[in-house]
Short mmCIF file of all heavy atoms in Angstrom, two decimals:
data_model
loop_
_atom_site.label_atom_id
_atom_site.label_comp_id
_atom_site.label_asym_id
_atom_site.label_seq_id
_atom_site.Cartn_x
_atom_site.Cartn_y
_atom_site.Cartn_z
N GLU O 71 70.26 81.54 77.89
CA GLU O 71 70.65 80.19 78.28
C GLU O 71 69.36 79.48 78.66
O GLU O 71 68.31 80.09 78.75
CB GLU O 71 71.64 80.23 79.47
CG GLU O 71 72.25 78.89 79.86
CD GLU O 71 73.04 78.21 78.77
OE1 GLU O 71 72.39 77.66 77.85
OE2 GLU O 71 74.29 78.25 78.83
N GLY O 72 69.43 78.17 78.86
CA GLY O 72 68.25 77.42 79.26
C GLY O 72 68.71 76.15 79.94
O GLY O 72 69.86 75.75 79.85
N PHE O 73 67.80 75.49 80.63
CA PHE O 73 68.16 74.27 81.34
C PHE O 73 68.63 73.17 80.42
O PHE O 73 69.62 72.48 80.72
CB PHE O 73 67.01 73.79 82.23
CG PHE O 73 66.88 74.59 83.48
CD1 PHE O 73 65.87 75.57 83.62
CD2 PHE O 73 67.74 74.40 84.55
CE1 PHE O 73 65.80 76.34 84.77
CE2 PHE O 73 67.65 75.15 85.73
CZ PHE O 73 66.67 76.13 85.82
N PRO O 74 68.00 72.93 79.27
CA PRO O 74 68.52 71.84 78.40
C PRO O 74 69.97 72.11 77.94
O PRO O 74 70.79 71.21 77.97
CB PRO O 74 67.55 71.86 77.21
CG PRO O 74 66.27 72.47 77.77
CD PRO O 74 66.74 73.48 78.73
N THR O 75 70.27 73.33 77.52
CA THR O 75 71.58 73.62 77.00
C THR O 75 72.62 73.75 78.12
O THR O 75 73.75 73.22 78.00
CB THR O 75 71.59 74.88 76.15
OG1 THR O 75 70.89 75.93 76.87
CG2 THR O 75 70.88 74.65 74.83
N ALA O 76 72.30 74.42 79.19
CA ALA O 76 73.27 74.58 80.29
C ALA O 76 73.62 73.22 80.90
O ALA O 76 74.83 72.98 81.17
CB ALA O 76 72.67 75.48 81.37
N THR O 77 72.64 72.38 81.11
CA THR O 77 72.94 71.11 81.75
C THR O 77 73.64 70.14 80.81
O THR O 77 74.43 69.27 81.23
CB THR O 77 71.71 70.48 82.38
OG1 THR O 77 70.70 70.30 81.37
CG2 THR O 77 71.14 71.36 83.48
N ARG O 78 73.38 70.25 79.51
CA ARG O 78 74.12 69.44 78.54
C ARG O 78 75.61 69.89 78.53
O ARG O 78 76.53 69.05 78.47
CB ARG O 78 73.51 69.56 77.14
CG ARG O 78 74.05 68.52 76.15
CD ARG O 78 73.39 68.66 74.82
NE ARG O 78 71.97 68.25 74.84
CZ ARG O 78 70.94 69.06 74.65
NH1 ARG O 78 71.14 70.34 74.40
NH2 ARG O 78 69.71 68.59 74.66
N ALA O 79 75.84 71.20 78.60
CA ALA O 79 77.22 71.70 78.69
C ALA O 79 77.88 71.23 79.99
O ALA O 79 79.07 70.86 79.98
CB ALA O 79 77.20 73.21 78.61
N ALA O 80 77.14 71.27 81.07
CA ALA O 80 77.68 70.79 82.34
C ALA O 80 78.16 69.35 82.23
O ALA O 80 79.26 69.01 82.62
CB ALA O 80 76.65 70.95 83.46
N ALA O 81 77.31 68.50 81.68
CA ALA O 81 77.64 67.09 81.56
C ALA O 81 78.85 66.88 80.68
O ALA O 81 79.71 66.03 80.97
CB ALA O 81 76.43 66.32 81.03
N ALA O 82 78.94 67.65 79.60
CA ALA O 82 80.10 67.52 78.72
C ALA O 82 81.40 67.89 79.43
O ALA O 82 82.47 67.47 79.03
CB ALA O 82 79.90 68.40 77.48
N GLY O 83 81.30 68.68 80.48
CA GLY O 83 82.46 69.09 81.26
C GLY O 83 82.68 68.29 82.51
O GLY O 83 83.50 68.67 83.36
N GLY O 84 81.95 67.17 82.68
CA GLY O 84 82.14 66.35 83.87
C GLY O 84 81.39 66.82 85.12
O GLY O 84 81.59 66.29 86.21
N VAL O 85 80.52 67.81 84.94
CA VAL O 85 79.73 68.35 86.04
C VAL O 85 78.39 67.59 86.11
O VAL O 85 77.66 67.57 85.15
CB VAL O 85 79.47 69.87 85.88
CG1 VAL O 85 78.57 70.41 86.99
CG2 VAL O 85 80.78 70.61 85.80
N THR O 86 78.08 67.01 87.27
CA THR O 86 76.85 66.25 87.40
C THR O 86 75.82 66.92 88.31
O THR O 86 74.69 66.46 88.40
CB THR O 86 77.15 64.85 87.95
OG1 THR O 86 77.93 64.96 89.16
CG2 THR O 86 77.92 64.02 86.93
N THR O 87 76.21 68.02 88.98
CA THR O 87 75.28 68.76 89.82
C THR O 87 75.57 70.23 89.68
O THR O 87 76.72 70.68 89.77
CB THR O 87 75.43 68.37 91.31
OG1 THR O 87 75.22 66.97 91.48
CG2 THR O 87 74.38 69.09 92.16
N ILE O 88 74.50 71.02 89.46
CA ILE O 88 74.67 72.48 89.48
C ILE O 88 73.67 73.05 90.49
O ILE O 88 72.67 72.45 90.78
CB ILE O 88 74.45 73.14 88.10
CG1 ILE O 88 73.00 72.93 87.62
CG2 ILE O 88 75.43 72.55 87.08
CD1 ILE O 88 72.64 73.75 86.36
N VAL O 89 74.00 74.25 91.02
CA VAL O 89 73.06 75.03 91.81
C VAL O 89 72.89 76.35 91.06
O VAL O 89 73.84 77.08 90.83
CB VAL O 89 73.55 75.20 93.26
CG1 VAL O 89 72.44 75.92 94.06
CG2 VAL O 89 73.90 73.87 93.89
N ASP O 90 71.63 76.63 90.71
CA ASP O 90 71.28 77.75 89.86
C ASP O 90 71.08 79.02 90.66
O ASP O 90 70.39 79.06 91.69
CB ASP O 90 70.00 77.39 89.08
CG ASP O 90 69.50 78.52 88.22
OD1 ASP O 90 70.31 79.04 87.43
OD2 ASP O 90 68.32 78.88 88.33
N MET O 91 71.65 80.11 90.16
CA MET O 91 71.56 81.40 90.81
C MET O 91 70.17 82.02 90.70
O MET O 91 69.45 81.74 89.72
CB MET O 91 72.61 82.37 90.24
CG MET O 91 74.01 82.04 90.71
SD MET O 91 74.17 82.45 92.48
CE MET O 91 75.71 81.63 92.88
N PRO O 92 69.77 82.90 91.66
CA PRO O 92 68.40 83.41 91.65
C PRO O 92 68.17 84.53 90.65
O PRO O 92 67.04 85.03 90.54
CB PRO O 92 68.28 83.96 93.07
CG PRO O 92 69.64 84.32 93.48
CD PRO O 92 70.56 83.29 92.84
N LEU O 93 69.14 84.98 89.93
CA LEU O 93 69.04 85.92 88.81
C LEU O 93 69.89 85.31 87.68
O LEU O 93 70.69 84.41 87.97
CB LEU O 93 69.53 87.30 89.21
CG LEU O 93 71.06 87.51 89.38
CD1 LEU O 93 71.42 88.95 89.40
CD2 LEU O 93 71.68 86.83 90.57
N ASN O 94 69.67 85.56 86.51
CA ASN O 94 69.02 86.59 85.76
C ASN O 94 67.71 86.06 85.15
O ASN O 94 67.31 86.53 84.06
CB ASN O 94 69.95 87.07 84.65
CG ASN O 94 71.28 87.54 85.19
OD1 ASN O 94 71.31 88.45 85.98
ND2 ASN O 94 72.36 86.92 84.75
N SER O 95 67.09 85.14 85.79
CA SER O 95 65.80 84.64 85.30
C SER O 95 64.71 85.65 85.65
O SER O 95 64.91 86.57 86.46
CB SER O 95 65.50 83.30 85.99
OG SER O 95 65.57 83.44 87.40
N LEU O 96 63.58 85.47 85.04
CA LEU O 96 62.40 86.30 85.31
C LEU O 96 61.23 85.37 85.62
O LEU O 96 60.84 84.56 84.78
CB LEU O 96 62.07 87.17 84.11
CG LEU O 96 63.09 88.25 83.73
CD1 LEU O 96 62.79 88.86 82.37
CD2 LEU O 96 63.14 89.30 84.79
N PRO O 97 60.67 85.42 86.81
CA PRO O 97 61.08 86.31 87.91
C PRO O 97 62.33 85.81 88.62
O PRO O 97 62.65 84.61 88.54
CB PRO O 97 59.86 86.22 88.86
CG PRO O 97 59.36 84.83 88.70
CD PRO O 97 59.56 84.51 87.22
N PRO O 98 63.06 86.69 89.30
CA PRO O 98 64.17 86.22 90.13
C PRO O 98 63.65 85.39 91.32
O PRO O 98 62.49 85.59 91.75
CB PRO O 98 64.82 87.53 90.61
CG PRO O 98 63.73 88.56 90.56
CD PRO O 98 62.84 88.14 89.40
N THR O 99 64.49 84.54 91.83
CA THR O 99 64.03 83.59 92.86
C THR O 99 64.11 84.24 94.24
O THR O 99 64.96 83.93 95.08
CB THR O 99 64.86 82.30 92.81
OG1 THR O 99 65.01 81.89 91.47
CG2 THR O 99 64.22 81.21 93.63
N THR O 100 63.18 85.16 94.50
CA THR O 100 63.16 85.92 95.74
C THR O 100 61.90 85.62 96.56
O THR O 100 61.65 86.29 97.57
CB THR O 100 63.27 87.42 95.48
OG1 THR O 100 62.25 87.80 94.57
CG2 THR O 100 64.62 87.74 94.88
N SER O 101 61.13 84.66 96.14
CA SER O 101 59.93 84.23 96.89
C SER O 101 59.65 82.78 96.56
O SER O 101 60.17 82.22 95.58
CB SER O 101 58.71 85.09 96.51
OG SER O 101 58.33 84.81 95.16
N VAL O 102 58.85 82.14 97.39
CA VAL O 102 58.48 80.74 97.13
C VAL O 102 57.74 80.62 95.81
O VAL O 102 57.97 79.68 95.02
CB VAL O 102 57.64 80.19 98.29
CG1 VAL O 102 57.11 78.80 97.97
CG2 VAL O 102 58.49 80.17 99.56
N ALA O 103 56.88 81.57 95.47
CA ALA O 103 56.15 81.50 94.21
C ALA O 103 57.11 81.55 93.03
O ALA O 103 56.94 80.83 92.05
CB ALA O 103 55.15 82.68 94.13
#
Side-chain angles (χ1 to χ4, degrees):
E71 187 60 284
F73 284 102
T75 48
T77 57
R78 193 179 289 115
V85 177
T86 53
T87 303
I88 65 170
V89 185
D90 177 52
M91 284 292 166
L93 74 163
N94 304 302
S95 55
L96 295 169
T99 315
T100 54
S101 68
V102 173

